[in-house]
Amino acid sequence: EKAKKGAKATTRATTNSHVPRPEITQKCIAKIGALRTEALHKAVQETEISDDTLIGLLVMALAGDNVTVESPHGRFGNGRAPIAGRLLEGQALTRDSALIRQAARAILAQVLSCRDGMTNSGVIALIAGDAVGADAFLPNMATEEFLSCLSKAGIERAASEVNVLPRQ
């Protein structure tokens, strides 16, 4: 019996000695992640950041693995990595202002939505639209197809707001 126990102990020791312990445990990886996140948040809050860097970082943040956006183009996932990837020079953020602006515009166009339902960005999209003059790009809505979607009361109210008298 002692021989069997000794053989089992030797087998266990031999088996365990062949499996190397990871250099960093999961607990340690979690701790490092928490410390780096805290440092990142503090730096973002307290250091001077140029406009180009700030815009570039916003684009990169929206492309993060932890971000999900319901966009008018479908679930926003596949399109964001290539947009953010344009901003990388090796593993550093580019200093090319034109490239940063292009990527920022592409991300905003993917994310902002005034559509009804899950993709609606809410008042944020309306404020963004006002900030960039989006109304100038609206098509003519004085068509029968569009006007047939409105109620008579809605048309009369809109008309009275611009001093147009109601008529048949």
Side-chain angles (χ1 to χ4, degrees):
E1 255 206 54
K2 282 185 180 182
K4 284 183 184 178
K5 284 184 182 179
K8 283 182 184 178
T10 304
T11 304
R12 250 187 267 126
T14 306
T15 305
N16 288 343
S17 66
H18 291 293
V19 179
R21 182 175 179 208
E23 291 181 21
I24 301 176
T25 65
Q26 287 296 329
K27 184 177 180 180
C28 190
I29 290 171
K31 186 177 277 303
I32 291 169
L35 292 171
R36 290 187 77 151
T37 300
E38 288 175 33
L40 174 61
H41 290 176
K42 191 168 186 166
V44 166
Q45 296 288 332
E46 297 179 13
T47 62
E48 188 71 28
I49 303 173
S50 73
D51 290 347
D52 284 348
T53 299
L54 189 60
I55 292 167
L57 292 174
L58 283 168
V59 170
M60 300 293 283
L62 283 170
D65 291 339
N66 64 327
V67 177
T68 302
V69 176
E70 296 293 338
S71 87
H73 310 288
R75 180 154 253 180
F76 183 57
N78 296 338
R80 61 191 169 147
I83 293 169
R86 294 185 226 162
L87 300 183
L88 296 177
E89 292 176 352
Q91 291 195 356
L93 182 64
T94 184
R95 299 280 184 215
D96 184 337
S97 296
L99 197 57
I100 290 170
R101 281 182 169 63
Q102 287 173 352
R105 288 173 185 266
I107 285 281
L108 289 172
Q110 287 284 318
V111 174
L112 293 173
S113 172
C114 296
R115 291 190 170 129
D116 196 28
M118 186 171 249
T119 69
N120 189 333
S121 300
V123 71
I124 297 301
L126 299 176
I127 292 168
D130 185 53
V132 298
D135 285 356
F137 293 87
L138 284 173
N140 180 4
M141 290 184 266
T143 64
E144 274 201 45
E145 180 185 2
F146 181 77
L147 293 174
S148 69
C149 297
L150 302 174
S151 69
K152 181 179 178 183
I155 292 172
E156 288 175 350
R157 184 184 53 73
S160 69
E161 288 177 7
V162 292
N163 297 322
V164 173
L165 297 174
R167 55 183 168 238
Q168 292 297 340

